[in-house]
């Protein structure tokens, strides 16, 4: 579960922080009761687990919106991890409270581990256009496991740009999307790696599809929206 949690945090930092609805955005609706199911696939197209989200406790005050994202992550072996985190839209910017991921429920499922997460949010403008360049972002994850092992991970999201518009069909339906390219640089222990990726974003839905690649551009894995309701 530690590996899946790290992948989750990287995914949030690299692609899914955005702006919200209700005066904040046309993307990522913060609507009480909204549900989203994503299925992960490996490089050969084999199912590799699922992540389910549910939006709860939505509160609005003018252009500001806050909500709780309830999350259930299931790996390919059927192991389940559940938690929730806080998300807030203030004016035109959404902020994910990464520290809220480190609640007692999450820590109890991961064993003897202490974590500290900091960094800058990934921003996504309301009005996207082909060729548009987007701001970089970064995140630092510090983990102390078993009281002795320390592991620091630094994640940078760079070279973000809107490549094109494209229609995408998934089990959840057909969506008109903007395709956003970025590169995620990770530094963990003595290893440094860069992973190009693309996300497909649809208005009122958010992320419909995500693909990650190796340095040579070969597909490493993907995440696809398979069900949603709001």
């Amino acid at each position: 579960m530690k590996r899946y949690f790290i992948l989750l945090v990287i995914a949030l930092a690299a692609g899914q922080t955005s702006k919200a609805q209700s005066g904040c955005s046309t993307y990522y609706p913060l609507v009480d009761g909204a549900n989203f199911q994503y299925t992960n696939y490996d490089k050969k197209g084999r199912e590799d687990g699922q992540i389910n989200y549910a939006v709860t406790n939505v509160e609005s005050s003018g252009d500001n919106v806050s909500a709780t994202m309830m999350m259930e992550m299931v790996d390919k072996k059927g192991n389940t991890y559940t938690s929730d985190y806080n998300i807030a839209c203030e004016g035109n910017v959404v902020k994910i409270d990464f520290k809220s991921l480190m609640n007692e429920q999450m820590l109890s499922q991961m064993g003897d581990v202490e974590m500290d997460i900091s960094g800058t949010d990934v921003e996504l403008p309301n009005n996207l256009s082909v060729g548009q360049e987007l701001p970089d972002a970064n995140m630092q994850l510090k983990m102390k496991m078993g009281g002795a092992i320390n592991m620091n991970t630094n994640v940078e999201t760079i070279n973000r740009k809107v490549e094109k518009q494209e229609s995408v069909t998934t089990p959840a339906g057909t969506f008109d999307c903007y395709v956003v390219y970025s590169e995620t640089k990770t530094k963990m222990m003595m290893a440094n790696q860069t992973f190009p990726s693309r996300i497909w974003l649809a208005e009122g839905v958010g992320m419909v599809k995500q693909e990650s690649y190796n340095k040579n551009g070969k597909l490493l894995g993907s995440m696809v929206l398979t069900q949603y309701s709001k």
Side-chain angles (χ1 to χ4, degrees):
M1 275 300 164
K2 292 183 180 70
R3 182 179 74 87
Y4 278 87
F5 178 75
I6 293 171
L7 291 175
L8 169 67
V9 172
I10 291 173
L12 285 170
Q16 296 194 55
T17 308
S18 174
K19 299 190 175 182
Q21 209 177 27
S22 183
C24 288
S25 178
T26 54
Y27 297 95
Y28 293 93
L30 296 184
V31 179
D32 213 341
N35 289 273
F36 301 86
Q37 179 192 79
Y38 293 92
T39 299
N40 298 316
Y41 299 92
D42 65 16
K43 62 183 180 181
K44 294 184 178 180
R46 297 174 298 197
E47 190 170 327
D48 195 30
Q50 291 181 339
I51 301 178
N52 303 305
Y53 295 95
V55 182
T56 64
N57 302 323
V58 177
E59 297 182 359
S60 300
S61 177
D63 287 339
N64 296 343
V65 181
S66 64
T68 299
M69 297 291 290
M70 298 181 64
M71 176 187 64
E72 178 186 61
M73 184 163 52
V74 184
D75 67 20
K76 62 183 178 181
K77 295 181 180 180
N79 299 313
T80 301
Y81 159 79
T82 59
S83 188
D84 54 61
Y85 58 92
N86 302 322
I87 183 169
C89 176
E90 300 174 358
N92 287 321
V93 178
V94 155
K95 298 180 180 179
I96 288 179
D97 182 5
F98 288 109
K99 290 185 177 180
S100 68
L101 281 167
M102 298 182 291
N103 53 44
E104 292 182 3
Q105 182 185 24
M106 180 274 293
L107 292 175
S108 67
Q109 295 176 83
M110 295 189 65
D112 185 11
V113 59
E114 298 177 8
M115 279 182 274
D116 181 62
I117 303 174
S118 60
T120 59
D121 297 325
V122 175
E123 296 184 7
L124 188 73
N126 280 336
N127 299 314
L128 296 178
S129 60
V130 176
Q132 184 177 6
E133 296 184 357
L134 305 176
D136 294 343
N138 68 81
M139 183 194 68
Q140 296 81 43
L141 171 62
K142 298 180 180 180
M143 300 181 65
K144 186 175 183 180
M145 296 172 286
I149 302 174
N150 295 314
M151 183 173 67
N152 297 331
T153 301
N154 184 70
V155 181
E156 292 183 89
T157 307
I158 61 173
N159 297 329
R160 300 175 66 222
K161 61 183 179 182
V162 183
E163 286 188 323
K164 58 184 176 180
Q165 288 182 278
E166 186 174 80
S167 178
V168 174
T169 298
T170 79
T174 299
F175 306 90
D176 293 325
C177 299
Y178 280 100
V179 183
V180 179
Y181 172 87
S182 65
E183 295 173 2
T184 302
K185 296 177 63 177
T186 62
K187 182 178 181 181
M188 182 184 302
M189 306 295 283
M190 299 300 293
N192 293 283
Q193 294 179 300
T194 299
F195 299 100
S197 66
R198 288 180 173 86
I199 58 173
W200 283 254
L201 297 167
E203 292 187 7
V205 178
M207 191 182 76
V208 171
K209 179 181 176 182
Q210 180 185 40
E211 290 185 345
S212 299
Y213 315 93
N214 65 16
K215 63 181 181 180
N216 297 319
K218 293 185 178 180
L219 184 68
L220 292 175
S222 62
M223 179 185 295
V224 174
L225 181 66
T226 45
Q227 293 182 26
Y228 84 102
S229 63
K230 59 180 182 178

